[in-house]
Amino acid sequence: MRRKLSSSADEDNDENPLDAAKLTHDEKKTTFTTAKYDWNRHSDTLDRRKAEKVWLPALSAARTWTSPTRIQASTKRQEVVSPHLAGEKMLDARGRLQRQTRSPWSCSLFTGAATVAAIFLMLFILHSFVTRQLDSKGCDMYYTRSKFFNFADFDTEHTRFASKYSLHLYREIGYDEDPKDQVKGVPVLFIPGNAGSYRQARSLASETVQHYYNTVQQDKEALKGGATSIDFFSVDFNEDFTAFHGQTLLDQAEYLNDAVAYILSLYHDPRRSQRDSGLPDPSSVILIGHSMGGVAARTMLTMPNYQSNSINTIITISAPHARSPVSVDADLVRTYQRVNTYWRDAYSQKWASDNPLWHVTLISIAGGSLDTTVPSDYASLASLVPSTHGFTVFTSSIPGMWTGADHIQTTWCVQLVRPIARSIFDAIDVHRPSQTKPRADRMRVFKRWYLTGMEDIAEKMLPHSDLTTVLTLDDHSNSVNHAGQRLVLRSLGRAGKPTAHVLPIPPQEIPGQRRFTFLSNVPLKENPDSGYLDVLLCSVLPVQPGHSAALFSMNLDLSDGRAGSTRLACKNAATDRIILPASYRTSTQPFHKAAPFSYLQYELEDLAEHQFVAIVDRVSETTHAWAIAEFSDSSEGILHVSTSLQRLLAFGIRLKLPAERPLVTTFEIPALHSSLLALKLSMGKQACGDTPELFTPLLRQYLSEPHESRYFVNVKEANVSLHGIAPFMPPPLRSQAASSGISLQFWTDPTCASSIDVGLQVDVAGSIGKLVMRYRTVFAAFPLLIVALVVRKQFKIYDHSGVFVTFMESMDLCLRTSLPLLFLALTFFAVSRAVLSAAAPTATSASWHVWSTNTTESAIDYTKNDLLLGSQDPIFWFLLPMCGLLSAGFCILINYAALGVISFLQAFAATSPKRRVITASVLLLLVSTVIPYQFAYLVSCIVQLATCSRATKHLRENVSGLEDRPSRETDRLTYVTNILFFILAVYAAVYGVSYAYLLHHLVNGVAAWLVALHFSSTDLLSSLLSSGLTRMILDNGEDDNNNNNSNNGDDVKKRP
C-alpha cells in the first residue's frame, strides 16, 4: 500500500497537525527518520523484523514523492546512509513529533468542565441512592437447628447432571427423628437463585416443621381438612451463576424436572415412604424459588423432560420474572423470551382444555426498595399471568410484616417465613393426588395470607361462611343506632356486662355508593368465647315450626329472659378481619411489636342478604379498648385528584381532610404512577380539643397492580415511592391491568372535629437516587456509544491529516459536535415514541379472547419498551442527555485509569515471546480448570492491559517520527469504517441496554474490519520490500541530504 509522509520538519513545530492537511501537493515536504537500530545484529531475526517495520513507511513514501531526476541520479551512487546518521535523524524527528503532538494526559478546558460536571452528577446520584428515600429494616432473623441429608442414589441413572448438582432433604433436630431417607408428608422443593446455597431453605423448612408439630398436629379440623407434615427438599447447584448464563439456567431446569420425578418416585417405594397406605401417592411437588430459582421453576414447565401436572403451585421470592436482570448473554435473553412467550400464549387460549398451565398458580413476592440486587419492578407478573392464576405482592403489603426486605433477608425473615409456611399448610390436601386444593381454593388461600384484604381482587369470606350465632336482643336494654349514625365506643366494658349495639343496614340504591367500615384496637376472634368484641352480620330469624336455635353453634342471649325479645341469625365477620399497624403517639414504625388494629370494610352489595350489623361488647370491666363503626358515602371517602404530572412536578399537591369526614378517606392520584419519582408527604396535626384522640393518623400508600402497600404510623412526614410503571417493563396482559396511579388512604379519628392539611411535593434528590436501580445497566451500553464516536473521529482525522490524535483530543471534538447532535436526535426519537405509544391503543377490541375471566390481548407488543432507556413517559426526556454526560465522564475516567495502569505495567511488561506464550498458556489453563468461565472476560481484560503496556513501551522505544496516512486506494474504504462505527454507536444507544450481548458481536465485527485493513496494508508493503528499491531510495536520500547540508550547514541529513 502507498503511504504519504507527514509534514516537513522545516515547518513550525507549533503548527496544528490538522492545518498540515491544507497544504497542496507541491508544498508538502517530508522528512525521513528511522528508529535507533543496531545494524551489527544481523543474526537476530526479531530485530530484522523490527528494521523492516521501521523502514517500510520510508520506502513507500520515497516511492510516492521521489522525482524521476532524483531516481536517475541515485542510480549512480553506491553508498548507503550510515546507521549513525539514521539514528541521529530518528532522534531529531522524534523530538519534533513530541513537540507537535499533545500528551495523552492533556485535557481541554471544555472537556475538563464536562468531566467535572459528570463526576459531580454521578456522586450526587450515588449519595441520593444511599441516603435518601430509604426504607427501614424490620426483619427478625430466624434461628434453626437444621440437618440436611443427601440422596446419593440420585445418580447418573436418573439425571445427567448428577456429578454437578445434588438433592437434599431437610430435618429439624429435636423434631424429625425419622430415618434420613424416609418421606411421609407433602413434597416441597426449594430452588436457590444465582450463586445461592441449598442451605437457604433452612428458615422456611424449620418453620414448616415447628408449625406442624406445635399447631397443626393438635388441630383436628385441620388434619381432617387434609393438612399433614411437609417433606422439605432443597437442591444444591454449587452456587452456579444463573443470572449471567442462559445454558446454566436450562441445565438447572432440566435437573429440577429429573429431581421432581425422583422425589415422586420415593413415595411409590414402600421402603422409603411412611405415608398412610390409604392416601393417594403424590403426583405433584410444590416449588419455592428464590431469585433466579423462581425463573428456573417457570422454565421447568417448558422443558422436554417435564412431566405433565407434576407442578401446580409455585411461590417465588425476589424473582425477576418480567425481564432478565442483565442482558450480556444471548442464551439467557432468548431463554427469557421463550419462557415468557410460552406462559403468555398458554393464558391466551380460548378454552381451558387448551391451556397447559390452567391448573398452575404462581405467586411472586418482591422485597421492595431494600432489594438492591434485583429491581423489584422485574418481579411483576402483570405481563405473564392473569389475576385468576397469580399475582405479585410486596413484602410491605403482607399482613403482620409491613416492612421491606433485601435480597438475602427474604430467605430468613421471620415475618415473611411464617405466612409462607402457613399458606402452604392451608393450600395442601393430602387426600387428593395433587396434594393440593383446587386452583380457585389455593388462590383464595394465598390472597388471604399475602394481600391486605382491601385490594379489588381480594375475596370476602362472608359469602362462603355459614350462620353460626343466634343473637337474642331485648329492645329496651340494647341500643339500636339510627340509620347513618356513627357508633363510637371509647371504653369497652363500661356497661359492666355484655352489650349489643345494632346498626341497621341502609338500603342499596346505587352499587358502590355506600360502604360499612369498622375499626378497633382489639382483635376479632372467630370463636366468640375468646374475644373482647364480636362483629356480627345478622338477619331476623323467622319463627318456623320445628326450627330450633340448637342448629347454631353459638347462642348469645342478651335479653335477660324478658318478653318481647328479638332473635337474629348471624354470621361472624372475624373471617374478613383486616389487620392494620397500630398508630399512637408513641408509634414510630409499622412493624413494631404493638397489637395491631382490627379493620372491616364491606360494600353494601356484600351485605345484601343481611339486615343488621351487631357490635357485641363482651367485656364486663372497663378497659382502654375502643371501637368505631359507620356507614359512609363513597363520594365522601374516595376523592379523585385530577392533576397533570407536569403540574404535580412544578407545584405539588395540596389536599385537605375536612372536619366532618368519614373514618377512612382515600385520595386517588392517577398522574402519579412512575417508579422514577419519589415524593415527600407532610401532614398537619390532628387536633381533638379536650376530647382525647383514640388513635393518631395512619396512612396506607398503595398501588392496584402490582399489589404494593406501604404503611406510615403516627404520620407527620412520609417518604412516598412506588414500583409502578418502570423502564423497560413489558406492558400488562390486559390494558385494564395498567396502573391507575397511586392512592393515599388515611385513617383518622372522626371524633376530632378539625380539618387536616396534607401536602405532597416531589423529592428531586430522592428521585435522582431511584435511577441507580433502574438504569445501572446503562453503563454496559452507553459508554460504548461514546467510545465508538470518539474512535470514529480519530480515524476520520487520521484519514484527512495523517495524524492519529489522542483519545482526549477526539473526545473534545465529539463533545462539541457529534455527541450533542446524536443525543438530541435520540431524545427527539424517544419523546416521539412515548407520545405515539400513549396515544395509540395496545390492541383492538377484536383481539379479545374470552374464557372465564382470563381474557388477554394477542396484539400486544411486549418488546415496545426495550428501546433506548425504556421510558414510557415523555416528561423524562432529559434522561438521555444526562446518561450521555455521565457516560462521557465515565469514559474519560476509564481512559485516565487505563493510562495509569498501562504506565505502571510497562515496568513489568514481558518482552520475550516465549514468556508471553507461557503466560497466556497458564491463563488459559486456569480458565479451563480452576477459574469459572464467567471470569474469562476479566482474564481477557488483564491480558489486553498487558498487551497494551508492551505495545506502548515498544512504541516509545522504537517508533519513528512518522504518522502513516492511508493511500488513495483505501480512501473509499474510510467511508465503510465511519459507517461501521456509527452503526455501533447508534445500536448501543437504541438496543444496547436490552440486548447487550449483541454489542459483543458488533464490536468483533468492527475489530475484524480494522484487522483486515491492517493486513491488507502489510501485504502490499511487503511486496514493496521485495521489489529491489531499497538501495535506490537510500542512495537518492544521501544525495539530497548532501545538497541540503551545503545550503544551510545542518549536520543532520534530511531526506524527502
Side-chain angles (χ1 to χ4, degrees):
M1 180 182 293
R2 293 161 46 186
R3 295 175 178 259
K4 298 180 181 180
L5 298 179
S6 62
S7 301
S8 172
D10 294 334
E11 297 175 358
D12 189 2
N13 292 334
D14 297 332
E15 181 181 354
N16 193 317
L18 297 178
D19 296 334
K22 301 179 181 179
L23 298 178
T24 62
H25 177 80
D26 295 331
E27 293 174 339
K28 288 189 176 181
K29 298 180 181 181
T30 59
T31 62
F32 181 82
T33 60
T34 182
K36 182 184 295 183
Y37 186 76
D38 186 3
W39 292 90
N40 296 325
R41 299 171 61 187
H42 296 289
S43 61
D44 193 319
T45 305
L46 176 62
D47 290 338
R48 286 200 301 271
R49 288 199 300 267
K50 290 183 179 179
E52 292 172 0
K53 293 183 178 179
V54 170
W55 284 101
L56 283 177
L59 297 176
S60 178
R63 182 179 179 183
T64 304
W65 294 104
T66 303
S67 63
T69 305
R70 291 178 177 177
I71 295 178
Q72 183 178 3
S74 64
T75 58
K76 300 178 182 180
R77 303 186 60 87
Q78 302 297 326
E79 298 180 1
V80 297
V81 180
S82 67
H84 176 71
L85 293 179
E88 290 181 349
K89 289 187 292 181
M90 182 272 296
L91 292 174
D92 181 67
R94 180 188 298 174
R96 290 193 300 270
L97 183 63
Q98 290 176 349
R99 289 192 297 270
Q100 293 178 2
T101 305
R102 297 177 61 183
S103 168
W105 294 89
S106 63
C107 178
S108 68
L109 182 62
F110 180 78
T111 304
T115 305
V116 172
I119 292 175
F120 273 101
L121 180 58
M122 193 179 305
L123 293 177
F124 178 60
I125 293 175
L126 294 177
H127 180 267
S128 174
F129 175 68
V130 299
T131 61
R132 307 281 299 219
Q133 293 282 334
L134 300 180
D135 293 343
S136 300
K137 296 183 177 181
C139 278
D140 298 328
M141 182 171 287
Y142 202 101
Y143 296 94
T144 68
R145 299 178 62 192
S146 59
K147 191 173 183 180
F148 286 91
F149 296 96
N150 180 28
F151 288 94
D153 56 344
F154 184 45
D155 51 19
T156 53
E157 295 183 0
H158 299 86
T159 177
R160 63 191 182 101
F161 298 103
S163 60
K164 186 178 181 181
Y165 305 137
S166 57
L167 180 66
H168 301 265
L169 177 63
Y170 178 88
R171 292 302 184 195
E172 181 80 3
I173 299 176
Y175 288 90
D176 284 335
E177 305 297 339
D178 304 319
K180 60 182 181 180
D181 57 349
Q182 297 290 312
V183 294
K184 57 184 178 181
V186 174
V188 175
L189 178 61
F190 177 83
I191 308 173
N194 178 66
S197 170
Y198 70 98
R199 294 185 176 274
Q200 290 176 327
R202 290 175 296 182
S203 299
L204 189 55
S206 177
E207 177 61 25
T208 58
V209 172
Q210 296 187 38
H211 181 65
Y212 172 75
Y213 284 102
N214 297 335
T215 305
V216 177
Q217 199 173 35
Q218 285 74 38
D219 190 344
K220 296 182 179 181
E221 290 296 327
L223 296 176
K224 184 178 179 181
T228 187
S229 61
I230 300 294
D231 292 325
F232 221 99
F233 298 85
S234 185
V235 178
D236 183 8
F237 285 139
N238 288 322
E239 300 182 1
D240 263 350
F241 292 90
T242 51
F244 303 96
H245 195 239
Q247 187 58 48
T248 300
L249 178 62
L250 295 175
D251 292 346
Q252 291 185 1
E254 180 180 343
Y255 177 83
L256 289 169
N257 280 325
D258 295 335
V260 167
Y262 175 79
I263 290 172
L264 294 178
S265 68
L266 296 177
Y267 294 88
H268 297 276
D269 187 355
R271 298 170 299 176
R272 310 288 291 272
S273 176
Q274 295 182 352
R275 286 168 57 95
D276 187 351
S277 59
L279 297 175
D281 293 327
S283 62
S284 67
V285 177
I286 298 174
L287 301 182
I288 299 177
H290 176 254
S291 187
M292 290 300 293
V295 181
R298 288 199 304 118
T299 307
M300 292 171 61
L301 281 73
T302 67
M303 299 297 292
N305 65 332
Y306 168 67
Q307 295 183 8
S308 180
N309 298 327
S310 62
I311 300 171
N312 63 14
T313 303
I314 304 175
I315 300 175
T316 65
I317 307 170
S318 300
H321 292 293
R323 60 179 284 114
S324 171
V326 292
S327 57
V328 296
D329 182 71
D331 290 338
L332 183 64
V333 175
R334 295 191 188 103
T335 300
Y336 257 89
Q337 293 174 342
R338 181 176 62 85
V339 173
N340 288 351
T341 300
Y342 177 85
W343 281 70
R344 290 169 183 144
D345 292 345
Y347 289 115
S348 66
Q349 300 301 317
K350 182 177 181 180
W351 306 106
S353 58
D354 297 330
N355 181 6
L357 304 178
W358 173 255
H359 62 289
V360 177
T361 56
L362 175 61
I363 309 300
S364 177
I365 302 175
S369 299
L370 290 179
D371 189 349
T372 57
T373 302
V374 175
S376 291
D377 305 292
Y378 294 177
S380 175
L381 299 176
S383 63
L384 299 171
V385 179
S387 59
T388 53
H389 289 72
F391 56 84
T392 305
V393 63
F394 282 73
T395 57
S396 57
S397 303
I398 297 178
M401 185 169 182
W402 300 320
T403 180
D406 65 32
H407 203 67
I408 302 300
Q409 281 181 340
T410 53
T411 61
W412 51 256
C413 182
V414 173
Q415 295 93 323
L416 178 61
V417 165
R418 286 177 178 171
I420 293 179
R422 284 157 174 74
S423 67
I424 293 176
F425 279 104
D426 287 352
I428 62 176
D429 186 355
V430 73
H431 304 109
R432 294 169 53 89
S434 64
Q435 303 296 289
T436 58
K437 296 178 180 179
R439 177 188 55 82
D441 293 338
R442 275 180 280 139
M443 286 299 300
R444 190 175 297 112
V445 167
F446 294 140
K447 290 176 184 177
R448 185 171 72 252
W449 279 104
Y450 301 141
L451 300 184
T452 65
M454 294 174 279
E455 294 83 359
D456 294 336
I457 67 170
E459 300 182 24
K460 300 295 184 182
M461 299 301 296
L462 184 66
H464 306 282
S465 59
D466 299 325
L467 295 170
T468 58
T469 305
V470 172
L471 178 61
T472 305
L473 301 176
D474 181 5
D475 296 336
H476 300 285
S477 60
N478 295 278
S479 61
V480 178
N481 284 32
H482 299 289
Q485 182 181 0
R486 178 185 295 129
L487 173 66
V488 179
L489 303 176
R490 288 190 170 271
S491 298
L492 297 182
R494 179 175 297 180
K497 63 178 182 178
T499 307
H501 305 270
V502 180
L503 284 75
I505 298 177
Q508 180 179 351
E509 300 176 356
I510 301 176
Q513 185 181 21
R514 295 178 67 84
R515 61 179 178 175
F516 169 76
T517 54
F518 169 87
L519 184 67
S520 177
N521 63 340
V522 296
L524 301 178
K525 299 294 184 66
E526 296 183 32
N527 183 6
D529 294 332
S530 60
Y532 282 67
L533 194 68
D534 295 332
V535 179
L536 306 177
L537 303 175
C538 308
S539 300
V540 176
L541 181 64
V543 180
Q544 298 179 359
H547 192 89
S548 173
L551 298 176
F552 298 87
S553 59
M554 184 66 186
N555 188 1
L556 188 58
D557 189 355
L558 302 180
S559 64
D560 295 332
R562 298 179 183 179
S565 60
T566 303
R567 294 198 308 171
L568 303 177
C570 306
K571 292 183 179 181
N572 196 325
T575 55
D576 289 329
R577 175 202 178 200
I578 299 170
I579 61 173
L580 300 176
S583 181
Y584 301 109
R585 287 296 175 190
T586 58
S587 301
T588 57
Q589 296 293 342
F591 49 80
H592 281 176
K593 310 304 180 183
F597 290 168
S598 297
Y599 178 67
L600 293 174
Q601 177 178 300
Y602 290 107
E603 302 296 333
L604 278 188
E605 48 265 32
D606 297 330
L607 308 177
E609 61 181 34
H610 304 286
Q611 298 171 312
F612 303 97
V613 177
I615 312 297
V616 181
D617 179 3
R618 301 173 61 87
V619 184
S620 57
E621 297 179 356
T622 303
T623 64
H624 295 290
W626 50 265
I628 302 174
E630 67 178 9
F631 285 93
S632 61
D633 292 334
S634 298
S635 58
E636 299 177 356
I638 302 177
L639 305 177
H640 187 83
V641 181
S642 298
T643 185
S644 64
L645 183 58
Q646 292 81 354
R647 183 175 180 82
L648 188 150
L649 295 176
F651 306 104
I653 299 177
R654 296 294 177 184
L655 308 173
K656 181 181 285 294
L657 297 174
E660 295 295 330
R661 59 182 180 272
L663 173 64
V664 185
T665 305
T666 302
F667 293 98
E668 297 178 348
I669 312 175
L672 191 56
H673 54 252
S674 176
S675 62
L676 297 179
L677 291 178
L679 301 99
K680 283 282 189 181
L681 183 141
S682 59
M683 190 172 185
K685 184 178 180 181
Q686 177 179 265
C688 297
D690 297 333
T691 305
E693 62 183 3
L694 299 177
F695 63 96
T696 55
L698 171 65
L699 169 63
R700 173 190 172 226
Q701 162 218 317
Y702 70 93
L703 286 172
S704 58
E705 181 61 42
H707 301 296
E708 179 186 20
S709 295
R710 299 176 64 212
Y711 292 93
F712 304 91
V713 297
N714 190 23
V715 58
K716 299 180 180 68
E717 293 183 350
N719 293 326
V720 177
S721 61
L722 61 150
H723 292 82
I725 297 179
F728 306 110
M729 288 293 293
L733 280 173
R734 293 171 292 166
S735 58
Q736 290 86 345
S739 175
S740 58
I742 196 174
S743 297
L744 303 176
Q745 192 171 19
F746 295 90
W747 284 266
T748 57
D749 189 348
T751 63
C752 298
S754 62
S755 60
I756 304 177
D757 294 326
V758 179
L760 196 62
Q761 295 286 341
V762 174
D763 183 4
V764 177
S767 300
I768 289 293
K770 299 296 180 183
L771 300 177
V772 174
M773 288 302 299
R774 275 76 181 188
Y775 287 121
R776 57 185 178 178
T777 54
V778 166
F779 285 98
F782 271 54
L784 182 59
L785 179 155
I786 304 296
V787 171
L789 290 182
V790 170
V791 176
R792 174 178 173 269
K793 178 67 70 174
Q794 287 178 297
F795 275 98
K796 190 174 182 181
I797 295 174
Y798 176 75
D799 293 335
H800 289 82
S801 67
V803 178
F804 201 87
V805 298
T806 64
F807 182 87
M808 293 305 301
E809 288 181 279
S810 181
M811 174 67 76
D812 180 69
L813 295 174
C814 290
L815 287 176
R816 299 174 186 271
T817 54
S818 55
L819 282 175
L821 291 176
L822 178 60
F823 278 100
L824 180 62
L826 292 175
T827 302
F828 178 78
F829 175 64
V831 172
S832 302
R833 288 195 76 258
V835 172
L836 294 176
S837 178
T842 56
T844 61
S845 58
S847 65
W848 285 76
H849 298 291
V850 181
W851 46 272
S852 183
T853 58
N854 296 308
T855 54
T856 186
E857 299 170 353
S858 59
I860 299 177
D861 181 12
Y862 293 101
T863 62
K864 69 176 185 178
N865 297 324
D866 290 347
L867 304 181
L868 296 171
L869 296 183
S871 178
Q872 307 171 37
D873 200 322
I875 200 170
F876 298 110
W877 62 268
F878 60 89
L879 291 179
L880 267 169
M882 187 177 70
C883 289
L885 177 61
L886 290 173
S887 300
F890 179 76
C891 291
I892 293 173
L893 294 179
I894 293 297
N895 173 63
Y896 282 127
L899 289 175
V901 172
I902 290 174
S903 300
F904 175 76
L905 292 178
Q906 286 177 12
F908 308 98
T911 58
S912 171
K914 182 178 180 180
R915 291 180 60 184
R916 292 198 295 269
V917 171
I918 295 175
T919 303
S921 301
V922 171
L923 289 176
L924 290 175
L925 178 63
L926 291 176
V927 170
S928 60
T929 57
V930 180
I931 301 178
Y933 56 85
Q934 288 86 354
F935 291 98
Y937 176 75
L938 180 61
V939 174
S940 301
C941 290
I942 296 175
V943 173
Q944 178 65 16
L945 281 175
T947 303
C948 292
S949 301
R950 290 192 299 270
T952 305
K953 182 178 180 180
H954 175 74
L955 180 67
R956 291 181 177 179
E957 293 178 353
N958 302 295
V959 74
S960 68
L962 299 176
E963 293 290 346
D964 300 332
R965 180 177 185 268
S967 62
R968 187 172 302 172
E969 286 81 1
T970 61
D971 286 343
R972 71 188 67 174
L973 301 181
T974 61
Y975 295 105
V976 178
T977 305
N978 287 335
I979 291 174
L980 289 178
F981 276 109
F982 186 76
I983 291 175
L984 176 61
V986 172
Y987 183 88
V990 178
Y991 286 105
V993 179
S994 298
Y995 305 97
Y997 67 91
L998 285 176
L999 296 176
H1000 170 73
H1001 302 295
L1002 291 177
V1003 171
N1004 284 344
V1006 175
W1009 169 256
L1010 297 178
V1011 170
L1013 290 181
H1014 169 74
F1015 280 106
S1016 63
S1017 174
T1018 303
D1019 293 340
L1020 185 58
L1021 292 174
S1022 298
S1023 64
L1024 287 176
L1025 184 64
S1026 60
S1027 63
L1029 297 178
T1030 304
R1031 178 62 59 85
M1032 174 188 66
I1033 295 173
L1034 295 177
D1035 292 343
N1036 181 59
E1038 182 180 357
D1039 179 66
D1040 291 336
N1041 288 334
N1042 292 332
N1043 294 334
N1044 290 334
N1045 291 335
S1046 62
N1047 293 331
N1048 50 31
D1050 193 354
D1051 293 335
V1052 180
K1053 295 183 178 181
K1054 297 186 178 180
R1055 189 175 188 82

